[in-house]
Amino acid sequence: MQNFQFFSPKSLEDALEYIADRNQRCKIIAGGTDLIAALKKEEVRPDYLLDINEVYELRGIQEFDNHVKIGPATTFTEMIESETLKRLFPLLVAAAASVGGPQIRNRGTIGGNVVTN
């Protein structure tokens, strides 16, 4: 079993401060679909683990006048269920629906997928 310090901030400010102080020794987790497997196999050995699931500024889908914001901690299921994305970006919804199975879509996040791939 690995030893690392775990932190779950409630604000983006706290998350940024935590990671700034720990640089490359810190891994960020939201869905954890890839990171948990890598931790179990000991392919990664962080000193610190930052869980951003409770940082609500990083979640959700917001429509503005001329753009749409998808937070990096937004799950694929949230994307599939979004009326905004269904209306404006149906191909993105279809792509989100093609990711893994239901369990992966419920946990996996758009930000994690971008960072991992």
Side-chain angles (χ1 to χ4, degrees):
M1 184 63 145
Q2 293 190 42
N3 289 323
F4 49 78
Q5 182 181 11
F6 182 84
F7 181 58
S8 183
K10 304 294 185 219
S11 73
L12 182 57
E13 181 180 341
D14 288 345
L16 292 172
E17 182 178 311
Y18 186 84
I19 199 160
D21 292 342
R22 288 152 184 89
N23 291 323
Q24 301 299 319
R25 302 170 306 170
C26 184
K27 289 290 185 185
I28 300 171
I29 188 170
T33 57
D34 292 319
L35 182 58
I36 296 296
L39 287 169
K40 285 180 180 179
K41 294 177 186 175
E42 296 194 10
E43 296 171 345
V44 295
R45 297 186 62 81
D47 293 326
Y48 305 96
L49 192 62
L50 174 64
D51 180 355
I52 60 170
N53 273 309
E54 301 294 322
V55 180
Y56 292 104
E57 297 108 314
L58 299 177
R59 298 187 70 95
I61 299 156
Q62 296 176 299
E63 182 178 359
F64 298 93
D65 289 336
N66 61 353
H67 68 281
V68 172
K69 176 186 169 192
I70 303 172
T74 301
T75 67
F76 292 104
T77 297
E78 290 169 324
M79 292 173 63
I80 294 164
E81 295 173 351
S82 167
E83 293 302 322
T84 297
L85 295 184
K86 287 178 189 176
R87 180 171 40 86
L88 296 173
F89 304 106
L91 291 178
L92 183 59
V93 172
S98 74
V99 172
Q103 294 166 325
I104 295 295
R105 290 191 297 269
N106 287 339
R107 290 287 305 168
T109 63
I110 185 74
N113 194 263
V114 169
V115 170
T116 300
N117 293 318

